[in-house]
Amino acid sequence: MASDTLDATFAALADPTRRAILARLATGDATVTELAAPFAMSQPAVSKHLRVLERAGLVSRSRDAQRRPCRLVAEPLRTATDWLADYRDYWETSYQRLDTLLGDLQNGEK
């Protein structure tokens, strides 16, 4: 994956409002009005967040008569998760070494 795409994904995820929008879209498509409802912000402010999510490839919009529903696009999230998985493996290995060391120290005290 290109570094700039990964950067855009993490930049979009850095904001709690955008994460909340993605969580809502994970339950199904929604309009800007529906997405703005739980927030103390205007629809234009939510639209700005949606544009950031669209540029990151995390959201797409379609047209259904006069509705313009937003839809979650999960592929960039999978790519970010795959990238993070390498670090998860690193930390799991580190924790296993720490567990072994602690076990050795506890056995030495007995």
Side-chain angles (χ1 to χ4, degrees):
M1 167 183 218
S3 170
D4 54 341
T5 304
L6 192 59
D7 292 346
T9 299
F10 283 120
L13 294 174
D15 186 274
T17 301
R18 291 192 286 268
R19 291 192 305 269
I21 289 170
L22 290 177
R24 166 55 186 87
L25 291 174
T27 67
D29 296 357
T31 64
V32 175
T33 303
E34 293 166 340
L35 291 171
F39 301 106
M41 66 177 67
S42 65
Q43 287 183 9
V46 172
S47 291
K48 287 181 181 181
H49 283 292
L50 286 169
R51 280 194 292 281
V52 172
L53 292 167
E54 281 183 290
R55 281 194 300 272
L58 294 164
V59 170
S60 68
R61 293 192 205 193
S62 60
R63 191 172 289 278
D64 179 20
Q66 291 189 9
R67 284 184 81 233
R68 289 193 38 119
C70 300
R71 170 174 285 137
L72 174 67
V73 179
E75 187 56 35
L77 295 173
R78 179 189 318 269
T79 305
T81 300
D82 291 345
W83 184 83
L84 289 168
D86 293 336
Y87 294 94
R88 183 176 353 129
D89 294 343
Y90 166 80
W91 285 109
E92 285 178 9
T93 301
S94 295
Y95 288 134
Q96 287 172 356
R97 286 195 317 258
L98 180 59
D99 285 343
T100 301
L101 176 62
L102 290 173
D104 291 347
L105 289 173
Q106 288 174 345
N107 290 335
E109 291 177 359
K110 291 182 180 179

